[in-house]
Amino acid sequence: MSHFIVRGWWTWAAALVFLAAMVVTTAGDGASNGTESYDVVIANGRVMDPESGLDAVRNVGIAGGKIRAISAEALQGKKTIDATDLTVAPGFIDLHQHGQEPRNYQFKARDGVTTSLELEAGTDDIDKWYAEREGKTLINFGVGIGHIPVRMKVMKDPGNFLPSGDAAHREATPGELVQIDRDIEEGLHRGALAVGMGINYTAAATHGEIVDVFRLAAKGNAPVHVHLRHAGLKEPTTGLVGIEEVIAAAAVTGAPLHVVHITSMGLQDTPRLIAMVRGAQEHGLDVTTECYPYTAGSTSLESAIFDPGWQDRQGINYKDVQWVKTGERLTAETFEKYRKEGGTVVIFSIPEGAARTAVADPIVMIASDGMPITGAKVHPRGQGTFSRVLGHYVRDEKALDLMTALRKMTLMPAQRLEKRAPAFKGKGRIRVGADADITVFDAKRVIDKATYEQPLEYSEGIQFVLVNGVSVVKDGQLVDGVFPGRAARAPILQ
């Protein structure tokens, strides 16, 4: 009973704070009388804030990297962005982006993303990962401590991005398990945003190993971003079995759970997997999920996903797998050749109905699962996910409304992380005091241009993108020589 009393008290307190903020906002934060000037003013745009529900023409004043005013009256700024007939939204937060290099960040910015996070695979060295990007990035960046790379390091796996040796195919010894847990706990102490886990890629990891990792995440109040152990249609290796395993682990440990790319896990059973997530939420578990708006997945051909029996498990064959270096569809002969070589493939396995269902469902976040740019035919999702949702599914297909779509790519990702990393309380919102990570787009024109045939194409209709108050996209073009991206990181424990 006390839980509900406390929760109710906080709800009323939050409401009072919000109402007070609205009073300040309506008055223009002291700027409507012309006495205050801002670094940047975004003028006359349709401001949409999923947190408050604001959807009206407003002027936004920015100073010191923060939103300082939201006003119906004119504001004075050193620089003014004319957003007439454009939509002003919180910058998009991508929870699932493997490509974390300058070229990837350029595509992210042109797709409206202001914060790019590697939370499924993660890294085995948190400090090194952040240090490599500090002061050098176009957009905000962040990472989780990854069970995959930690297991690869401890078990001396020869794989590059994903395991191909012992980390994929052998149970860890008791000594190795101790070291894996130590490394994950150390990563959490060093400010990892989450624990990443790809059980499908570490197929020999026991249920006990998985539960132990969940216990560490629960101790650090960190969400576990999980690629399920199984994906496909054949019992007992279905996506439904895979999601049962991790929901059970979350239930018994108390760890927050985030199921990644639910469509490529569930395939035609995607609605059932989403129903599992919804049921867990309704029964008090902290479980969330995400999807990308495409009918193909992408991964490494040498990974355990393509171990013998993959055709039956996934309901596909060689012709459904594309080698990204050349764009060719595979045969039995080229499959064996390229699997020995190692590299990325695109896998055409997701029914359109599953993709549409997930994109439209209000509890499913949007995240790209964008891949490093390693070839001419890399999956287009890393370049066009957010514009595709806004253009194809919102405007053209009317599968969901614009505010719902924005909530799924801004507020919901921020809320997923803010308990672990309080800095996210200032992201994913258009409100006074929030970080000035803002995306301004033309709702009538926004669309993805990246395709499977020509994936390295920028999205259109994303007109302005600000990261910490600095323009990184202006008039639809990248701004050269600016690096306003900051580390998105959980508190570091000494």
Side-chain angles (χ1 to χ4, degrees):
M1 179 65 72
S2 61
H3 167 76
F4 292 99
I5 294 172
V6 172
R7 183 176 179 181
W9 183 87
W10 277 109
T11 301
W12 279 107
L16 291 172
V17 170
F18 172 73
L19 288 171
M22 289 299 291
V23 171
V24 172
T25 297
T26 304
D29 198 22
S32 60
N33 60 11
T35 61
E36 187 168 350
S37 179
Y38 299 93
D39 297 335
V40 180
V41 169
I42 303 174
N44 304 314
R46 178 190 178 187
V47 175
M48 297 186 69
D49 173 43
E51 183 178 52
S52 66
L54 176 65
D55 181 359
V57 174
R58 291 289 187 269
N59 301 290
V60 180
I62 297 165
K66 301 283 187 180
I67 297 172
R68 302 298 183 186
I70 305 168
S71 176
E73 300 180 27
L75 302 176
Q76 300 297 315
K78 298 172 185 175
K79 297 179 181 179
T80 299
I81 295 172
D82 183 3
T84 302
D85 297 326
L86 301 177
T87 300
V88 179
F92 308 151
I93 300 170
D94 192 349
L95 291 173
H96 193 161
Q97 168 66 24
H98 297 302
Q100 292 284 337
E101 304 304 324
R103 185 72 171 128
N104 297 106
Y105 293 146
Q106 290 176 341
F107 279 107
K108 297 274 84 170
R110 286 289 302 270
D111 201 32
V113 174
T114 56
T115 301
S116 175
L117 307 173
E118 163 59 286
L119 302 183
E120 178 208 31
T123 182
D124 62 357
D125 191 332
I126 296 296
D127 289 335
K128 179 181 177 183
W129 194 95
Y130 278 109
E132 288 173 344
R133 290 160 180 81
E134 193 67 45
K136 305 173 185 176
T137 64
L138 194 66
I139 60 178
N140 302 314
F141 53 95
V143 74
I145 183 68
H147 177 253
I148 291 175
V150 165
R151 200 174 205 266
M152 290 173 67
K153 180 179 72 173
V154 171
M155 300 180 74
K156 298 178 174 56
D157 191 281
N160 183 12
F161 176 55
L162 293 172
S164 59
D166 280 1
H169 300 114
R170 175 172 69 78
E171 286 188 21
T173 67
E176 288 170 339
L177 289 173
V178 169
Q179 190 59 54
I180 288 169
D181 287 352
R182 284 176 179 169
D183 287 359
I184 290 174
E185 190 163 33
E186 173 65 14
L188 290 170
H189 289 168
R190 299 308 302 165
L193 289 174
V195 175
M197 183 170 282
I199 314 175
N200 212 177
Y201 298 109
T202 57
T206 65
H207 296 299
E209 179 178 344
I210 302 308
V211 171
D212 284 347
V213 173
F214 268 75
R215 290 191 194 283
L216 292 173
K219 183 179 177 181
N221 198 27
V224 188
H225 289 238
V226 182
H227 179 128
L228 302 179
R229 184 185 294 274
H230 304 301
L233 308 172
K234 187 176 181 180
E235 293 286 1
T237 59
T238 65
L240 195 61
V241 173
I243 202 169
E244 286 174 345
E245 176 186 14
V246 293
I247 288 177
V252 300
T253 64
L257 167 65
H258 183 79
V259 178
V260 304
H261 47 52
I262 199 164
T263 52
S264 61
M265 299 287 91
L267 304 179
Q268 70 185 35
D269 279 343
T270 293
R272 288 186 176 181
L273 269 68
I274 295 174
M276 292 283 285
V277 174
R278 180 175 282 106
Q281 292 177 351
E282 290 172 350
H283 288 85
L285 295 182
D286 187 0
V287 181
T288 55
T289 191
E290 67 182 46
C291 74
Y292 47 76
Y294 294 90
T295 56
S298 184
T299 194
S300 298
L301 186 60
E302 69 272 23
S303 71
I305 283 178
F306 286 101
D307 283 353
W310 61 271
Q311 297 102 318
D312 287 341
R313 289 194 300 269
Q314 299 182 54
I316 57 174
N317 214 317
Y318 300 107
K319 64 179 176 57
D320 300 306
V321 183
Q322 180 187 54
W323 183 242
V324 303
K325 290 182 180 179
T326 62
E328 67 187 283
R329 298 296 183 105
L330 299 188
T331 64
E333 292 74 24
T334 56
F335 174 87
E336 295 299 332
K337 174 185 175 182
Y338 294 142
R339 186 160 161 82
K340 292 177 182 177
E341 177 182 333
T344 305
V345 290
V346 175
I347 312 162
F348 293 87
S349 60
I350 303 169
E352 170 59 33
R356 181 187 175 94
T357 293
V359 168
D361 195 295
I363 74 165
V364 181
M365 301 177 207
I366 303 299
S368 74
D369 194 11
M371 299 294 284
I373 298 173
T374 57
K377 300 297 181 182
V378 66
H379 197 298
R381 66 195 182 193
Q383 297 72 256
T385 282
F386 295 87
S387 295
R388 179 168 178 77
V389 171
L390 296 174
H392 178 68
Y393 283 104
V394 173
R395 184 185 62 238
D396 298 340
E397 293 292 319
K398 296 179 173 55
L400 70 168
D401 64 85
L402 181 55
M403 186 67 88
T404 298
L406 292 176
R407 181 180 297 108
K408 287 153 62 79
M409 54 182 72
T410 61
L411 181 63
M412 289 171 66
Q415 290 174 329
R416 172 71 284 178
L417 296 173
E418 64 188 25
K419 292 178 183 177
R420 167 71 184 165
F424 279 90
K425 293 179 181 179
K427 296 188 183 299
R429 289 98 162 162
I430 298 288
R431 61 163 165 75
V432 172
D435 295 341
D437 296 337
I438 298 173
T439 294
V440 183
F441 62 94
D442 186 343
K444 299 185 294 296
R445 195 167 61 84
V446 63
I447 197 66
D448 59 309
K449 302 300 289 185
T451 65
Y452 297 107
E453 293 73 29
Q454 299 292 332
L456 300 181
E457 299 289 335
Y458 289 125
S459 297
E460 289 187 354
I462 304 291
Q463 294 302 101
F464 300 91
V465 177
L466 285 77
V467 176
N468 297 303
V470 177
S471 293
V472 299
V473 173
K474 181 180 179 182
D475 295 321
Q477 301 297 317
L478 290 168
V479 178
D480 293 331
V482 295
F483 304 101
R486 297 176 185 167
R489 194 167 182 172
I492 297 173
L493 303 180
Q494 299 302 324

